[in-house]
Amino acid sequence: MAPALRTLHLAADDDFAGFRSAARALLQGGVPPEQVHWSTGEATLFDAPLATPSLAREPDPPYGANPADARSPDALRLPAALLRTISHAALHDDAQRFALIYRLLWRLQQQPALRHDPLDADTLRLAHMAQAVRRDAHKMKAFVRFRPVAADDVADGTLHVAWFEPGHHVVGAVGPFFARRFTNMAWAILTPRGSLRWQPPGADGAPGRLHRGPPARRADAPPADAGEALWLTYYQHIFNPARLKLSMMEKEMPRRYWHNLPEAALIAPLAAAAQARSDAMVAQPASVPARTVRLLPARSVPQVIASLDDLRAATARCRECPIGEHATQAVCGEGPVGAPLMLVGEQPGDQEDLAGRPFVGPAGQWLDEALRQLGIARESVYLANAVKHFKFELRGKRRLHKTAGQREAMACRHWMEDEIRLVRPKALVALGATAARALLGDGVQVTRDRGRWLQRGEDGLPVLVTLHPSALLRMDRAAQDEAWQRWLADLSLATQGPPA
Ligand code: URA
């Protein structure tokens, strides 16, 4: 007979403390994940609490607090970063989140080595969920707009009320942020996932108090008021037409938040005028950067490249092709040695050349956004370029990117190979044709080979080829959305690693 399914009922959608207690007891009891069903909200007659003393709800750790400070399931000691990911993923809207977390805990108990595998499918999915939750919490902090209403039970007679629609169960987690930010103001935040009310510290020294309340409806919140006129004037003044990128703006401020944001009504007219305003800005002369990085004396160039410092010193002096003579400095990759994934671009751009760091300009921002959406920390991957110096042509005083020629890319190739050898990634991503050819040879074609794993002859390392972010940047708006989704899918595949 199949073992009975146990339903574990948690007190609320964000009851991470209750989940933690229950998971601890289940792990100690050796209960496998397929025998557990997790539920939240109103309990039903069919919910059978586990027969342990630890199901009672414990106070939640504050959002952003290190959950490692709290006890982890006794049978299992988890790295602090993983515990933090789990505590954030537990606030995701996905009904399967607790089942997924418990399954991962169970698997970690059975196979402790799993904790060192950042490409494990459950670990990755949880990381994506945690990232979505952090993003939602960030949006709530950024997009809540209070409106004053008269209130008898508030000392100064004004309660500031906001309406917000979070995508995940972040209300309780974000409450302490608002309490700190608006300590001396009486406020309430109403949402369909529960409400918050802050009672500021009293004149008599009574401490401030944060209360949780039931879900609310849009109609419970007050309509627009005159105070918004000031904010709208401010918004108009800080709007920078030269930096307008509507698609990025929508990613930062997704449309689903717009109907609750008073300034959203200004976006269309400001965007319509942006081109003319930014043309006027562009017409101003640009300045050519001074060379700031001196060549190293020849004797400091190591003969053997035994470390990334050696590589930096050697590429700084490299004149195996003419590009290095004109660039400000060589730009080697950045990221941890031993990073599981190394992403290889073409060459540093204008901003990278000045900063001495890869992917810090516009293409880098797109890459950062993609990594963010995939829940991958930029610091956990190694970002590099096939060519180490910026190749450009001067157009007036502007330095315009010029694709490195085959000879230049090949001259630089041994530096890239040194970098791969020193970083020791498990897999590589080629961003665009220059990187793909440098990594895989001339036979590769980005449009034909993108999105699948290929293998390098040199060291057998798997390589996933995809577009360079600049290719997306150059597309027209109509094609960009679909291309972005395909690109994300390619990168997501890369983060999962090649099939075993
Ligand atoms: N494009 C690249 O290929 N690399 C960078 O570092 C920046 C832009």
Side-chain angles (χ1 to χ4, degrees), residues 345-349 352 357-360 363-364 384-385 468 470:
E346 180 200 335
Q347 59 165 317
E352 289 79 12
R357 294 180 52 211
F359 288 105
V360 293
N385 282 302
H468 191 281
S470 316

Side-chain angles (χ1 to χ4, degrees), residues 161-166 188-192 194-196 216-218 220-222:
V161 184
W163 169 252
F164 188 75
E165 292 165 49
I189 301 177
L190 311 182
T191 92
S195 47
L196 296 168
R217 292 165 308 137
R218 175 98 191 69
D220 299 330

Side-chain angles (χ1 to χ4, degrees), residues 287-372:
S287 57
V288 178
R291 291 180 68 97
T292 51
V293 176
R294 303 271 150 257
L295 291 185
L296 297 174
R299 66 176 174 282
S300 69
V301 178
Q303 303 303 307
V304 179
I305 307 296
S307 69
L308 290 173
D309 281 343
D310 289 350
L311 183 72
R312 277 186 278 273
T315 52
R317 282 198 58 82
C318 178
R319 296 293 178 267
E320 290 174 42
C321 81
I323 311 181
E325 196 54 42
H326 304 287
T328 308
Q329 56 191 311
V331 180
C332 289
E334 70 178 19
V337 168
L341 203 57
M342 177 162 165
L343 281 76
V344 183
E346 180 200 335
Q347 59 165 317
D350 182 67
Q351 295 190 32
E352 289 79 12
D353 169 82
L354 296 174
R357 294 180 52 211
F359 288 105
V360 293
Q365 282 162 23
W366 278 53
L367 187 59
D368 284 351
E369 176 62 20
L371 292 174
R372 205 152 65 90

